[in-house]
Amino acid sequence: MTSSSVPEPIRPQLRIALAVLLALSVIAVNVSVAISSLAMGTGIVLMVASIAWSRGRSFPRSPLDLFFLAYLAAEILATLFSVDQAASLFNMKRFFQISIFYLVLASYDNRRDLLRLVGALIGVAAAVSLVEVFSLTQIGRAHV
């Protein structure tokens, strides 16, 4: 492996920003899809800017890269041969959901931090669920 093929590490400040945006995106999806989407979009823009700034050397690699590229190629072909190309192009937004995988690779370099993110997601989802259960219980009592 030559030194040019080794990914360049992401700057610590950027890694922290990506981690915060990713956490906000994942946790906020329980409360507000808009906040979640804005955080994810901002994270994607920052990551793409970092990759462009480093001329591609900071792109996080994974064994799944070829599968994701094949999926993108299938989406492009489906759009090209679609009866409703505009709708098909709009539905290619699903490909951006794969970017969460790369945001995780760029943001978290150890298992402990990743488990904290998952724990926070579970905690917020449980809290929102409990609030909804109790509020629905109160609504049910008011109508009795």
Side-chain angles (χ1 to χ4, degrees):
M1 201 177 232
T2 64
S3 62
S4 64
S5 65
V6 175
E8 191 175 281
I10 294 177
R11 293 186 174 144
Q13 299 89 348
L14 180 61
R15 182 180 294 273
I16 291 168
L18 289 175
V20 168
L21 289 167
L22 179 64
L24 180 61
S25 176
V26 169
I27 293 168
V29 79
N30 293 299
V31 181
S32 170
V33 174
I35 293 172
S36 177
S37 295
L38 285 171
M40 184 174 83
T42 304
I44 291 169
V45 168
L46 279 177
M47 189 171 75
V48 168
S50 169
I51 292 167
W53 185 261
S54 71
R55 296 188 177 115
R57 291 185 305 268
S58 67
F59 184 78
R61 306 276 187 224
S62 97
L64 301 175
D65 291 348
L66 291 177
F67 294 109
F68 291 146
L69 286 174
Y71 175 72
L72 178 60
E75 284 277 4
I76 291 169
L77 286 173
T79 299
L80 289 175
F81 294 107
S82 175
V83 174
D84 188 358
Q85 289 183 334
S88 184
L89 183 64
F90 178 77
N91 287 325
M92 281 182 66
K93 67 183 179 190
R94 295 178 297 228
F95 187 74
F96 286 109
Q97 293 172 342
I98 293 173
S99 64
I100 290 178
F101 175 77
Y102 289 102
L103 283 173
V104 169
L105 289 179
S107 302
Y108 296 99
D109 59 353
N110 62 59
R111 185 179 173 98
R112 185 191 75 224
D113 290 342
L114 186 58
L115 289 174
R116 284 183 185 163
L117 174 67
V118 172
L121 171 63
I122 292 169
V124 169
V128 168
S129 296
L130 286 173
V131 167
E132 289 176 359
V133 165
F134 288 122
S135 67
L136 291 175
T137 304
Q138 295 301 319
I139 292 171
R141 288 184 189 167
H143 293 292
V144 175

